[in-house]
Amino acid sequence: MKISVIVPVYNVERYLDECIQSILNQDFKDFEVLLINDGSTDKSGEICEEYANKDLRIRVFHKENGGVSSARNLGLDNAKGEWITFVDSDDWIGENYFYCLTLNNENVGLILLNVERYYSNKVQKMLVFDNFILNKNEFLNNYTLYPHFPGPCAKFFKHENIQKMNLRFDEKLSFGEDALFNIKYVNSAILLIKSNNNSYYNYRDTNNGLSKTSYEINKEKYLFQQLKKELLKFDDKKIYLKNIIYPLNRYLLSIYRNKEINQKKELINLLKNDKDSILYLFRNSKINHLIIKYGYAIKLFGFLNLYLKNRIK
């Protein structure tokens, strides 16, 4: 079997038909669909069963609600395809989405597709890649984890690489678990990364993303540390700095927002261990704009700037 399509499902009866139909309508037919019903309380589970009864390529798994990572992991545990792709159940895929897998992909371990973001009243090209074939270091020197490939969707992963690493999504995280999965995957024995822009992944923006609401310091610190560990394996300072600044910024924001911890101690420890990352972040105008946007620039930047000038030599 060529492709396993893993679809985590949770209370999406409004969008689920469109999602599943977009998969079944592909011209390329050598695939299976794994619908992982993550404890839905609406009719999503029933819709999944209805489709499974009509098409033998669809398998349904019902589980207690455990979050999207546990749902995707259950899909990985049961996938049989040569390639793995993920589709979120409130999104849909464009025509000929699987076309890239009919081409010559010798020595290719990851394929990226373009993404369009759909709002209630407009459409925006979210990610547009040129056609390329790059090794992993070339790729990370041209495209950063944020914003170019943080999520698991709009990608095709080689199943054998996932199996060799026993790679799964980290269920301790509610944000960034997909970015961590991706960077671990790219760190595996992948020879080439490829982009094909013949079709789009269609992302529906429902304006309730966790990235806009959740800054739990323990999770942000853990994510930062895990991404740091993986990025340092590339042994390329430029790759590390370009890719660590977004999770570093989230970690800093979580420190600022958490009044119950010793903020000064947390910042000093961070500065001692990550001087170059801090300097890179605060010299980057785009990230500075992000910091100012969140409203913690005056206090945090003032402290960091003073500390950098007077304490770090």
Side-chain angles (χ1 to χ4, degrees), residues 200-246:
Y200 277 85
Y201 181 94
N202 301 301
Y203 169 74
R204 193 189 310 273
D205 192 325
T206 55
N207 201 34
N208 60 359
L210 282 171
S211 60
K212 301 172 184 175
T213 59
S214 176
Y215 287 92
E216 299 175 44
I217 187 167
N218 290 335
K219 291 184 178 181
E220 298 295 345
K221 183 176 182 178
Y222 174 76
L223 175 62
F224 169 74
Q225 292 172 338
Q226 294 300 309
L227 286 173
K228 176 181 176 180
K229 181 171 70 173
E230 292 301 319
L231 288 166
L232 287 173
K233 292 178 183 178
F234 287 93
D235 197 26
D236 186 320
K237 189 173 183 179
K238 181 181 176 183
I239 287 176
Y240 173 75
L241 291 174
K242 286 171 62 178
N243 284 278
I244 201 63
I245 55 174
Y246 183 79

Side-chain angles (χ1 to χ4, degrees), residues 6 19 22 56 79 115 128 137 139-140 181 214 260 268 273 294 310 312:
I6 298 174
C19 174
S22 73
L56 295 177
V115 180
V128 180
N137 280 61
F139 173 71
L140 283 170
F181 178 94
S214 176
E260 298 177 359
I268 289 173
N273 295 318
Y294 281 125
N310 298 313
I312 296 181

